[in-house]
Amino acid sequence: MEKNILFYVILAILVVQYLVHQYLEYLNAKRFKSTLPPELADVFDEDEYQKSQKYKQTNYKFGVISDGFSLVLTICFLAFGGFEWVDQITRSITEDSISMALIFFGIIMLGSAVLGLPFSYYRTFVIEEEYGFNKTTKSTFWSDKIKGSILTVILGGGILSLFMLFYQSTGPNFWIYTWIAVGIFILFINLFYSRLIVPLFNKQTPLEDGSLKSSIENYAQKVGFELQNIFVIDGSKRSTKANAYFSGFGKEKRITLFDTLINDLSEDEIVAVLAHEVGHYKRKHIIVNLVVSLLTTGLTLFILSLFINHPEISLAIGVSKPSFHAALVGFALLYSPISELTGLIMNYLSRKFEFQADDFAKTTFAATPLVSSLKKLSKKSLSNLTPHPAYVFVHYSHPPLVERIRNLKA
Ligand SMILES: [Zn+2]
């Protein structure tokens, strides 16, 4: 079959993206062994430093292999008519366009989930296990996968069906209705994420009364932050790595601390981490992130609405009959350079916000315990202390440790 020009554009996008990302990985890997800045000299002892070097190398090699595998597979699938094959199967089952889209995406996502399984299994039970991070049991691993898939089917399938209903009933304005629906969905998930999604995977318990809770409450009161919800999550069920995060807004706002964080950090350090999270809220980062994601969603849907009716977009993925679902795949592939760009902007913004939240913690609480908590967390997760600036620019949502420490000490 004659391939159209967009088919080759898609191949070029995939290859260029792969090469750029691999080059960044390579640049980053070249700096693994560079000397540590003096501020970070006390993060690791010699043994741990060697271990962190090995961990970075292992992850680097794993990434080269898994990214390479996924590129080769995608290109073969495109080149040998994989989408056409799935489209034929779909069309043999139903003629209804919404059902067709659900089956089409169902098959493709099932296929990629199955092919991705060995990689995810290897990462958890070989790499993370070898470095002592893994606490996930086999049964947790499988139940996570099953619950994740069910959630994707329900939420993804629901949104896709709604999207197509709008397309069928409102014509060229479908993007506005879809935007509103997706917007409501994003808001809803933001508000109720901790209440509805997290309990499917983790146990959350309110932080028990005691000196930690009173220190936190004292701090919250001092900065005028109304805090009813402090929860402890059983992160130790999966990994020794520690974390804390903020979610929701208004009455639904809450701070979630990993049990691993509580075990590893001193009381002052925990309050400092919490002060950083409160900083995100006080500096309106939660709202700004929400608005930015609403705007990028709207922009993407608008651009989609300009192209969705061009049969070339469908045919670009090698199918013989244009359809809404094929056009969505074609669009997603062609749009990916723009998604990369919005991703860059989001990461840039996020790194700015991290500095602002650190500054908030510094002025309202103290810099020293935050510095020591960041060092402990980096040590615990064997993080890369000398990332390449270009790699940071593209991939990091948080500034590198040394920059955060310099900022906190400034
Ligand atoms: Zn933060």
Side-chain angles (χ1 to χ4, degrees), residues 40-319:
L40 304 182
D42 61 343
V43 174
F44 293 124
D45 64 30
E46 189 48 36
D47 277 0
E48 288 159 344
Y49 187 61
Q50 292 309 327
K51 196 173 159 196
S52 81
Q53 295 296 356
K54 260 184 72 196
Y55 184 55
K56 288 182 284 190
Q57 282 293 348
T58 308
N59 277 323
Y60 172 54
K61 282 186 211 143
F62 181 75
V64 170
I65 294 170
S66 58
D67 293 353
F69 176 77
S70 122
L71 175 79
V72 170
L73 209 72
T74 313
I75 287 183
C76 288
F77 195 73
L78 268 166
F80 297 117
F83 287 110
E84 170 69 2
W85 177 60
V86 176
D87 199 43
Q88 303 250 327
I89 297 176
T90 306
R91 287 175 191 279
S92 72
I93 300 172
T94 177
E95 297 273 284
D96 171 66
S97 58
I98 295 183
S99 312
M100 273 201 303
L102 292 172
I103 295 170
F104 183 81
F105 283 110
I107 296 175
I108 287 173
M109 288 175 79
L110 180 71
S112 74
V114 169
L115 290 166
L117 260 180
F119 290 94
S120 152
Y121 190 91
Y122 186 85
R123 179 184 286 283
T124 309
F125 294 111
V126 178
I127 300 179
E128 295 291 288
E129 186 75 43
E130 190 189 329
Y131 290 89
F133 292 127
N134 182 44
K135 292 279 173 263
T136 313
T137 60
K138 301 266 153 82
S139 76
T140 304
F141 179 83
W142 290 112
S143 80
D144 279 358
K145 293 286 171 203
I146 293 167
K147 288 180 206 163
S149 312
I150 295 174
L151 214 56
T152 311
V153 168
I154 296 174
L155 299 180
I159 289 176
L160 181 64
S161 311
L162 204 62
F163 189 3
M164 293 192 65
L165 274 175
F166 288 136
Y167 178 69
Q168 289 171 355
S169 55
T170 62
N173 288 330
F174 77 95
W175 72 275
I176 298 174
Y177 296 94
T178 309
W179 187 21
I180 294 170
V182 173
I184 292 171
F185 176 75
I186 292 177
L187 271 173
F188 183 80
I189 289 292
N190 258 280
L191 263 178
F192 298 109
Y193 171 74
S194 294
R195 210 182 264 273
L196 298 176
I197 309 283
V198 178
L200 300 174
F201 298 92
N202 282 90
K203 228 193 243 113
Q204 303 173 108
T205 37
L207 179 63
E208 53 190 52
D209 291 329
S211 77
L212 176 61
K213 195 175 177 186
S214 13
S215 312
I216 291 175
E217 281 169 347
N218 282 342
Y219 169 77
Q221 204 174 11
K222 194 182 115 195
V223 293
F225 183 77
E226 233 184 284
L227 187 59
Q228 273 109 26
N229 305 314
I230 313 167
F231 282 85
V232 181
I233 195 171
D234 58 344
S236 60
K237 179 178 164 186
R238 293 193 180 76
S239 171
T240 59
K241 291 176 180 171
N243 202 359
Y245 62 87
F246 192 100
S247 61
F249 45 86
K251 270 202 163 66
E252 284 297 326
K253 67 177 184 283
R254 66 161 88 184
I255 285 175
T256 306
L257 304 168
F258 277 50
D259 53 356
T260 38
L261 188 93
I262 294 184
N263 293 333
D264 297 342
L265 302 187
S266 72
E267 214 170 279
D268 256 7
E269 289 167 339
I270 297 171
V271 178
V273 169
L274 190 119
H276 169 99
E277 298 302 329
V278 172
H280 279 307
Y281 191 81
K282 286 277 185 181
R283 293 279 174 265
K284 308 252 184 309
H285 299 158
I286 317 288
I287 302 293
V288 174
N289 282 335
L290 210 59
V291 170
V292 172
S293 73
L294 287 176
L295 289 177
T296 47
T297 308
L299 177 75
T300 309
L301 286 169
F302 172 69
I303 299 176
L304 171 71
S305 76
L306 302 178
F307 291 102
I308 193 85
N309 287 321
H310 290 266
E312 292 84 1
I313 305 283
S314 295
L315 303 180
I317 63 166
V319 295

Side-chain angles (χ1 to χ4, degrees), residues 312-333:
E312 292 84 1
I313 305 283
S314 295
L315 303 180
I317 63 166
V319 295
S320 52
K321 284 188 192 142
S323 62
F324 189 86
H325 57 263
L328 274 185
V329 177
F331 179 79
L333 290 167

Side-chain angles (χ1 to χ4, degrees), residues 329-372:
V329 177
F331 179 79
L333 290 167
L334 289 164
Y335 193 73
S336 62
I338 301 181
S339 319
E340 294 252 355
L341 204 69
T342 49
L344 285 183
I345 298 170
M346 294 292 272
N347 273 344
Y348 177 80
L349 200 66
S350 167
R351 290 192 301 269
K352 284 241 166 278
F353 287 173
E354 289 308 318
F355 282 129
Q356 291 178 7
D358 281 351
D359 288 344
F360 184 87
K362 179 166 84 174
T363 43
T364 60
F365 189 64
T368 316
L370 189 53
V371 169
S372 65

